[in-house]
Amino acid sequence: MKKLYTYTTTVLFVTLISCVSKKGDNVDTIVLESKTIKTSNEFFSEIEVIPLRESDNTPYLSNVSKMEVFDDGLLLCDNRGVLSFFSHNGRQLSSSNSKIGNGAGEYVTLTAFTYNSFSKNIEVVTPQSILFYDKDFNLVSQSPIPSKFPDGIDGGVFFGYIYDISVSKHLLIPNSVSENKYEIYVFDSSKGKVIRKVSFSEDVMAGITMQGICFFKKSQDNLYFSPPCVSHHLYTFDTQNMHLTKRLKLSPGENGVKEDEIKSRENDERELKDFLMRTEEGIMVKALQSQDKDIFLIKKGNRIRDWEILIYDKIKKEMAKLLLFQNGKASFPMPYTLYNNYLYAIAEYDDINSFCEGFDEEKIKVIEKPTQEDIVIIKYKLK
């Protein structure tokens, strides 16, 4: 039996804190806690169960580390760096398995990936370049990127996030072990140059994150931005002027980690990391943004069963809580991403029935009956 391990649920990237935000920002403030507990059918109007059917000649996808969703399909990555492109009904279209290596058009280390909806190319970021593949993973072109290897004095820069704003313009963010990790690099791959750097370092509270995807489409020229860290704010990003604007201030609440608890440990990296990993106080490790809702994953201690999801209704200005475990069993999956008003997650076979509890039969759409061998996508439609 093929066992699925949702790698993202257990991997946290922890770095030292940075600066604090400026005072007097003229934006709304929300508190990241709620005593109002709701069930999934109160937040979502329907649920879709999509087993992924892999090609016979492709090795099993396992340890799924990240999933991205686009109009043209789903792109998943496992912990080997193998990418698999699926249709929205779960049929595998292609895989990068044959591209792992040191040969021409191949890669050994993947640090980020995406699908460019403008060029229809799959993009693989390596420590030194972006590789551009067509949907069948035939190499189209490649471009060097402004990475930097450590030289013994200064740290290195390796990119852990990529988002496309045109065929050749990309938003790159360094990974958690890089210097300048709290900057957005606006990179033009057609010219091989950085157009601009946009910093969000002034708002960083702690460098702990499970933020797999940072940008969410708001309108034609604007994006929502969730920093890959614990931040004082969520933002919008203007793709024409390349400018960040604070849109929402985040307060930890009575039971959340306070800034002074972090500042008191900022001179001892080991103590700070240990505190962030073990604390039972709530700390936001993922924020997913949409037009009407913001969804937050709140870490509490080391046991995932104690973690919570908070959903903020922007229209009603109300916050409510969704529990991952209830009555001794999993009641909601760990969220991966939010796209076109749908929340995407991956489910273990044994948990599917409990994830569907509370929904009327006509609100549950099963694309194909899953088996214990399948990786299963759970897709929830926000009300």
Side-chain angles (χ1 to χ4, degrees):
M1 182 180 72
K2 177 174 59 177
K3 182 69 172 175
L4 166 68
Y5 296 92
T6 50
Y7 185 69
T8 319
T9 64
T10 56
V11 172
L12 287 164
F13 298 102
V14 185
T15 58
L16 282 173
I17 63 169
S18 184
C19 306
V20 299
S21 66
K22 294 179 180 178
K23 305 299 182 182
D25 300 315
N26 187 25
V27 294
D28 289 342
T29 298
I30 61 169
V31 178
L32 291 177
E33 62 182 20
S34 175
K35 294 182 179 179
T36 302
I37 300 175
K38 292 187 177 182
T39 56
S40 56
N41 63 320
E42 295 179 270
F43 289 114
F44 305 98
S45 59
E46 59 186 59
I47 183 173
E48 199 168 319
V49 179
I50 310 169
L52 299 182
R53 303 302 190 197
E54 298 171 279
S55 301
D56 293 337
N57 60 349
T58 302
Y60 283 143
L61 186 69
S62 61
N63 292 338
V64 176
S65 60
K66 187 177 176 183
M67 170 171 54
E68 294 199 20
V69 183
F70 310 91
D71 287 348
D72 293 341
L74 316 174
L75 192 56
L76 279 73
C77 182
D78 69 12
N79 67 335
R80 301 167 298 169
V82 174
L83 297 175
S84 292
F85 197 46
F86 289 88
S87 67
H88 282 281
N89 63 9
R91 297 293 173 179
Q92 188 175 45
L93 303 174
S94 60
S95 168
S96 73
N97 185 67
S98 64
K99 298 299 178 179
I100 307 297
N102 291 301
E106 298 177 341
Y107 63 92
V108 175
T109 302
L110 176 154
T111 62
F113 69 91
T114 194
Y115 173 77
N116 191 318
S117 298
F118 301 95
S119 67
K120 307 298 182 182
N121 286 331
I122 294 169
E123 299 170 349
V124 173
V125 181
T126 73
Q128 295 176 300
S129 62
I130 304 177
L131 304 176
F132 301 94
Y133 297 97
D134 65 18
K135 292 180 184 178
D136 295 318
F137 285 97
N138 299 305
L139 186 68
V140 176
S141 63
Q142 62 185 75
S143 170
I145 54 177
S147 303
K148 188 178 77 170
F149 285 83
D151 59 10
I153 300 175
D154 297 322
V157 176
F158 302 106
F159 295 98
Y161 302 86
I162 180 172
Y163 186 92
D164 302 308
I165 56 176
S166 74
V167 169
S168 61
K169 289 187 176 64
H170 322 274
L171 304 179
L172 301 173
I173 302 177
N175 63 18
S176 62
V177 298
S178 297
E179 64 178 29
N180 304 327
K181 56 183 169 285
Y182 301 131
E183 289 185 331
I184 300 168
Y185 289 58
V186 184
F187 179 70
D188 189 333
S189 59
S190 67
K191 299 177 180 178
K193 62 183 291 186
V194 175
I195 301 171
R196 183 174 298 182
K197 294 181 184 180
V198 183
S199 175
F200 53 92
S201 63
E202 69 172 20
D203 282 328
V204 177
M205 179 176 169
I208 180 171
T209 187
M210 290 176 66
Q211 193 73 46
I213 297 171
C214 295
F215 295 97
F216 305 87
K217 191 173 180 63
K218 181 176 185 284
S219 62
Q220 182 174 346
D221 297 327
N222 283 276
L223 305 170
Y224 293 116
F225 174 59
S226 297
C229 58
V230 181
S231 173
H232 290 281
H233 290 88
L234 297 181
Y235 303 82
T236 57
F237 184 84
D238 186 328
T239 61
Q240 296 299 308
N241 299 318
M242 308 302 174
H243 180 71
L244 274 179
T245 301
K246 296 170 185 176
R247 61 155 287 254
L248 192 63
K249 187 169 184 178
L250 307 175
S251 170
E254 182 180 348
N255 297 310
V257 171
K258 308 299 190 297
E259 187 174 324
D260 58 359
E261 294 179 283
I262 293 175
K263 288 182 69 64
S264 66
R265 296 171 172 87
E266 63 183 353
N267 294 322
D268 188 330
E269 181 177 359
R270 179 177 296 182
E271 182 184 356
L272 175 60
K273 288 183 177 180
D274 185 67
F275 169 74
L276 292 174
M277 292 299 294
R278 295 178 180 276
T279 179
E280 300 291 330
E281 296 177 300
I283 185 166
M284 188 270 291
V285 292
K286 180 181 288 188
L288 308 176
Q289 301 185 64
S290 70
Q291 197 69 37
D292 297 329
K293 305 284 195 308
D294 292 323
I295 299 177
F296 303 95
L297 177 61
I298 307 298
K299 174 190 175 299
K300 290 188 172 183
N302 289 326
R303 299 196 316 164
I304 292 175
R305 65 175 56 248
D306 297 326
W307 296 13
E308 301 171 348
I309 294 173
L310 296 175
I311 300 182
Y312 178 65
D313 189 316
K314 299 181 186 179
I315 307 302
K316 298 179 180 178
K317 296 187 180 299
E318 295 176 350
M319 183 80 80
K321 182 191 308 183
L322 182 61
L323 301 179
L324 295 176
F325 281 78
Q326 283 186 297
N327 301 321
K329 63 180 180 180
S331 55
F332 197 82
M334 189 72 69
Y336 271 68
T337 189
L338 192 59
Y339 186 79
N340 280 352
N341 218 38
Y342 284 91
L343 181 69
Y344 287 78
I346 295 179
E348 299 279 3
Y349 174 82
D350 294 338
D351 295 327
I352 293 173
N353 287 338
S354 64
F355 292 159
C356 294
E357 286 183 3
F359 289 90
D360 294 335
E361 187 173 342
E362 66 271 16
K363 298 298 183 180
I364 303 172
K365 181 179 180 182
V366 180
I367 298 297
E368 194 170 337
K369 187 176 180 179
T371 70
Q372 289 188 340
E373 298 297 312
D374 294 323
I375 293 174
V376 180
I377 302 293
I378 302 289
K379 179 180 172 183
Y380 293 89
K381 185 176 182 180
L382 281 165
K383 287 184 177 179

